[in-house]
Amino acid sequence: MELRSSSDTLKSLQDKMVEYIENGAKLGWLINPQQRQVEVYRPGLTVEILDNPVKLSGEEVLPGFLLDLHRVWD
């Protein structure tokens, strides 16, 4: 998981997420509070962009895990 700060460039974090997946990560979230978006990274799949999600699921990687994003967006 990466949480973009005001000093981070989106491109640098996207590159980092790709590197994580290439190195074996099964799921990655790039949380972008400035645009209220989350980019979801999975091996072999196109990046999924979620607009203003309320929660993120750990899917099969972290069964039952939910990340509440209300405090991130506030």
Side-chain angles (χ1 to χ4, degrees), residues 16-58:
K16 191 183 290 190
M17 296 302 296
V18 168
E19 184 178 341
Y20 291 157
I21 296 299
E22 288 174 347
N23 286 319
K26 303 291 184 209
L27 178 65
W29 297 321
L30 172 51
I31 301 170
N32 184 351
Q34 292 88 338
Q35 295 177 319
R36 295 180 75 104
Q37 289 183 332
V38 176
E39 296 182 12
V40 182
Y41 291 76
R42 300 175 190 93
L45 297 175
T46 303
V47 175
E48 180 181 4
I49 298 176
L50 306 175
D51 289 313
N52 200 29
V54 176
K55 293 183 181 177
L56 296 174
S57 165

